[in-house]
Amino acid sequence: MTGTPTEVDGAHRPAAPRKRADARRNEETLLAAAARVFVTSGVDAPVRDIAAAAGVGIGTIYRHFPTRADLIVAVYRHQVEACAEAGPALLETSSSPHAALAAWIDLFVDFLVTKHGLAGALQSDHASYDALHAYFIDRLLPVAAQLLDAAAAAGEIRPGLDPYVLMRGIGNLCIASTDERYDARRMVELVVAGMRQQ
Amino acid sequence: MTGTPTEVDGAHRPAAPRKRADARRNEETLLAAAARVFVTSGVDAPVRDIAAAAGVGIGTIYRHFPTRADLIVAVYRHQVEACAEAGPALLETSSSPHAALAAWIDLFVDFLVTKHGLAGALQSDHASYDALHAYFIDRLLPVAAQLLDAAAAAGEIRPGLDPYVLMRGIGNLCIASTDERYDARRMVELVVAGMRQQ
Amino acid sequence: MTGTPTEVDGAHRPAAPRKRADARRNEETLLAAAARVFVTSGVDAPVRDIAAAAGVGIGTIYRHFPTRADLIVAVYRHQVEACAEAGPALLETSSSPHAALAAWIDLFVDFLVTKHGLAGALQSDHASYDALHAYFIDRLLPVAAQLLDAAAAAGEIRPGLDPYVLMRGIGNLCIASTDERYDARRMVELVVAGMRQQ
Amino acid sequence: MTGTPTEVDGAHRPAAPRKRADARRNEETLLAAAARVFVTSGVDAPVRDIAAAAGVGIGTIYRHFPTRADLIVAVYRHQVEACAEAGPALLETSSSPHAALAAWIDLFVDFLVTKHGLAGALQSDHASYDALHAYFIDRLLPVAAQLLDAAAAAGEIRPGLDPYVLMRGIGNLCIASTDERYDARRMVELVVAGMRQQ
DNA sequence: GATGAATGAGTATTCATTCAT
DNA sequence: TATGAATGAATACTCATTCAT
């Protein structure tokens, strides 16, 4: 493969779909590898490590994911989507908007807390993470806003809570610590309790 | 002769800190410069930049502050001390333990929010920041604990709140963001409200 | 597909080392440059100097030779190998084991004496030279041992001479001196003479 | 003392002798400290360490011993002198010139082997050691030459042995190794044996 | 499309030596 | 004289990113 593209393949049929299949498979492999590396080394893992784990050249990573943020987004897309979709669902199935909000925040925290370094990346100002911020905001902010609005409308939480501030704050609370004493969930509990209308 | 000070000298006047005068002045300059650089580049600023800003050689930085943590601690010592001392004082002057706690947290947040990168350093696992962690914990944790205990004893807040978790959490919330939309204070408000005994 | 080489390729021609051609050439250049720099600045020459001499970036040096020892070994490998292989050969062609031993030591000394700083590195305790020591010991010690054994068996030299001590000692004798008056060979002669069974 | 010279002293008598006494005492302290530090850290020990061990400022070291070599020479002067004087003495008391030579070399080796790093410094090309070389050469070379001449005249050793080469070679052999397997004395034995007229 | 070789900016840290006090 | 503060040169090493093959 390395230096000898499989000309044979392209011979029979339109190369495009064929290649796409290859590329897609390749991308899957890559995402799986990245996910694996992220778990152990965090989302800041050296590009080379990820490439090695995927059995792929560095260039391939960059071709598929020009930015580290692109890669991170791709790796966690499913879970972010699931989290996003869980919002409206919870709103329907929960006993109250506030319960839905609390449950949803739990989901979000569970997600972040288990993604080594993700919260840190989310907080980073570094330009290479712009796309990551954008994606999270685009996808999750509306959900958070909807939940907040519903709870506020129901008079269950104090009005005027900014969904951006909430998301960002929760993200910050989830920044990992080596120190076992710290427990992000405990802090988030306080936040959730604090939102309630007294 | 270092080991055999001519006691005669010390008898008359404060002869001891003679050379020190220079060095002390220098250290002041250095701290001021460091503080300045920290504002713009964060507490992670390259040593060389700090030296340059102070108009001294790199070696001078290392002489006065062997570790970056030493420098950071020195730069913020006054404010940390003030914050630490404010705890008991607030407890006496405030209308209630919870009010004292809230006021103290405000002070802490004010401090952190205005120190670019400090919250980040506080959260860092890097060994070079160990002394920094230690200092903050040593100095502020007991204060936080005292305030929490008092408020809990007064039945104003839910019992069992871990001061370490609280400090760390608040620290995390204060990690700066370029995004103007984020406001750590708003989050901290929620936390404070959440601590209340409903 | 780093992990799944298309075996088909390798079947026809030496397709494998395609890219390698460049890299290999580069490595040659690098080794040549290093050798050149070693002559003038010794094997302790700054990495940057070597990179500059080779007209490559610093990173390239590290890619090819992660450790300074790796570089040194690579630079002198041919000569060390030749020296190692000369041992058995000399044993066969020489008039006596002692003659073979003496001739071999001459080769060794010739090698060391012309490699500025090498003897010094060989003597250094610094960890970064571990691989260098290991290589020399691995490759040359058995040869020295064989020669010593043969000569001892022939009753030509005093028994019980430790090959390690001999190698190390000769290495030390070859540590370069700016002073023209010193002549390592003269000292080695004495050592060789001293080994003889009187 | 540090900043307040004892003006009282100079008041009564000619300051010169007085000061000299002080200075001499100071120098003794300093030499003792240096010797102590040399044992553990070698003759390359940081100047600051030596100053600290002596309870003296760095400047004082430089005042008394402008060059590191000056300090080393001063520290070992007694022993070098003793070694130098032992030459002629041995020549008189020994059973033969060769025996005297061997005994003297033993003394020299004993000296070097117990002085951590000294042999290395002796071998160094660095300019700061020039005075060290000079002193050793000035003081010991004539002795070695005398012994060699006597032994050569007696027909006990091969003629034409260069005392400089011998001294330097023995020095090199004494360069310390962490590796316990190396034993300088064993090598020197061979050299001594090799000098004999067969 | 894939590969991976090359690049080189970015920093911490040590220590000999000088010189103002 | 002694002190010790200040200086700053000297270097190793990592890793993101580009681009020729």
Side-chain angles (χ1 to χ4, degrees), chain D residues 53-153:
Chain D
V56 140
I58 289 185
T60 306
I61 303 266
Y62 279 95
R63 164 174 295 276
H64 289 276
F65 309 100
T67 285
R68 178 179 293 270
D70 296 322
L71 178 57
I72 299 177
V73 167
V75 167
Y76 297 129
R77 167 157 278 138
H78 289 318
Q79 298 181 60
V80 173
E81 291 302 320
C83 187
E85 285 160 12
L90 283 168
L91 212 42
E92 286 190 20
T93 60
S94 297
S95 57
S96 77
H98 179 272
L101 175 61
W104 185 77
I105 289 177
D106 268 357
L107 283 179
F108 185 47
V109 171
D110 283 341
F111 170 55
L112 285 182
V113 157
T114 56
K115 269 62 192 179
H116 185 171
L118 180 56
L122 239 19
Q123 163 268 308
S124 162
D125 280 347
H126 197 353
S128 63
Y129 288 120
D130 282 351
L132 184 65
H133 296 155
Y135 176 61
F136 270 76
I137 295 304
D138 282 0
R139 208 59 196 85
L140 298 182
L141 201 61
V143 179
Q146 183 186 13
L147 286 162
L148 283 172
D149 284 348

Side-chain angles (χ1 to χ4, degrees), chain B residues 63-108:
Chain B
R63 162 178 286 275
H64 290 276
F65 310 100
T67 285
R68 179 179 293 271
D70 295 324
L71 177 56
I72 300 177
V73 168
V75 166
Y76 298 128
R77 167 157 279 139
H78 289 318
Q79 300 181 57
V80 173
E81 291 301 320
C83 186
E85 286 160 13
L90 284 168
L91 213 40
E92 286 189 22
T93 61
S94 296
S95 57
S96 78
H98 179 272
L101 175 62
W104 185 76
I105 289 177
D106 269 358
L107 284 179
F108 185 47

Side-chain angles (χ1 to χ4, degrees), chain C residues 12 28 41 64 98 102 105 109 126 129-130 144 151 158 181:
Chain C
H12 322 270
E28 308 281 82
S41 312
H64 290 276
H98 179 271
I105 289 177
V109 171
H126 197 357
Y129 288 122
D130 282 351
R158 64 168 75 175
R181 283 177 292 175

